Amino acid sequence: MTGGSGIGSSFDPDRIAAIRAQLGKPGLPANTPVKSNNLAAVKQLWLRAGVLIAGFVALLYGIEGVDTLDHGQLDNAGIHPRAADGLSGILFAPVLHAGWPHLIGNTLPVLVLGFLALLAGIGRGLAATAIIWIVAGVGTWLTGASGSVHLGASVLVFGWLTFLISRGWFTRNIGQIVLGLVVLALYGSLLWGVLPGQDGISWQGHLFGAVGGLLAGWVLSGDARRNRRGDQAGFIASPR
């Protein structure tokens, strides 16, 4: 930033259980290989995630091409803090960029982190993106400097980053925790961008994008947290 399908996961035990339940329905061969069907489902998820994020990046480049032909006039559709006519920027800001260098700089993080977020399950990844999009936009509109214009997909980058880092902690899933640690090691330095500092960089967008990612991680792990509380409630303290 300058200035459906159901929710599921390739790493989610609930998704695997659903596949196994489907295989156990009458009419299916008794020797149907569960492992191969699980692998097919994972491959399909990876393919769909890749196509979706590649399509989104293609959209970003198409919009920037139109903006270039229009001499940057589309940038005015970004977020104008505390201006009534700037509220529409909440919807459009993440797909707008202040020139090709801005877009090119966002491309790799969008591809990598967006793809990983969608691997949490297409429905879950899209829901996380929607939460990040709205929280980042509203937060920027409320706190950005008057007279400024905020735009860029980096709000999504920061949101996906914190979503991926926090989700494993909320679900207590070892695989997701490991993924979060890898993402933190690769992209954690970006989090300095939530602090005020460099002119022309929307730290408000970065900050509220990151807040949106944390909120998405918490909201979308609700089933896992409820299941964990239920399991814990089933334990009875043994007398010594």
Side-chain angles (χ1 to χ4, degrees):
M1 177 175 256
T2 309
S5 61
I7 293 177
S9 170
S10 59
F11 311 111
D12 194 335
D14 294 337
R15 181 181 178 84
I16 302 303
I19 294 173
R20 287 175 175 164
Q22 184 179 15
L23 291 174
K25 290 180 179 178
L28 287 175
N31 60 348
T32 303
V34 174
K35 190 172 183 179
S36 63
N37 279 273
N38 290 347
L39 182 60
V42 171
K43 286 182 177 179
Q44 183 183 40
L45 175 63
W46 280 58
L47 178 61
R48 293 174 65 193
V51 169
L52 279 174
I53 197 61
F56 179 66
V57 170
L59 174 66
L60 297 182
Y61 274 78
I63 290 173
E64 189 57 30
V66 172
D67 190 40
T68 299
L69 294 175
D70 199 29
H71 306 290
Q73 293 303 305
L74 289 181
D75 293 348
N76 292 323
I79 297 172
H80 297 254
R82 291 176 303 285
D85 58 357
L87 279 169
S88 61
I90 294 173
L91 295 178
F92 301 120
V95 298
L96 301 173
H97 291 83
W100 292 105
H102 184 202
L103 173 56
I104 292 170
N106 280 337
T107 297
L108 184 59
V110 166
L111 283 170
V112 174
L113 296 176
F115 176 72
L116 292 175
L118 290 171
L119 286 187
I122 301 300
R124 183 179 283 116
L126 292 177
T129 300
I131 292 171
I132 294 163
W133 199 301
I134 294 171
V135 171
V138 172
T140 301
W141 186 84
L142 289 172
T143 64
S146 297
S148 61
V149 181
H150 300 251
L151 63 161
S154 57
V155 297
L156 301 179
V157 168
F158 277 76
W160 288 329
L161 177 60
T162 55
F163 170 70
L164 291 166
I165 291 172
S166 66
R167 184 168 170 254
W169 172 258
F170 289 131
T171 62
R172 300 297 195 272
N173 182 287
I174 298 300
Q176 293 166 12
I177 290 173
V178 171
L179 175 62
L181 291 174
V182 171
V183 169
L184 179 62
L186 293 175
Y187 287 101
S189 61
L190 290 178
L191 292 174
W192 291 109
V194 304
L195 301 176
Q198 187 175 350
D199 292 338
I201 300 297
S202 177
W203 63 269
Q204 296 95 335
H206 295 172
L207 174 61
F208 285 99
V211 170
L214 289 173
L215 179 62
W218 182 78
V219 169
L220 298 175
S221 65
D223 288 344
R225 289 184 286 106
R226 282 190 293 271
N227 290 339
R228 189 171 65 249
R229 287 197 297 268
D231 291 343
Q232 290 172 348
F235 288 114
I236 300 176
S238 298
R240 292 187 177 182

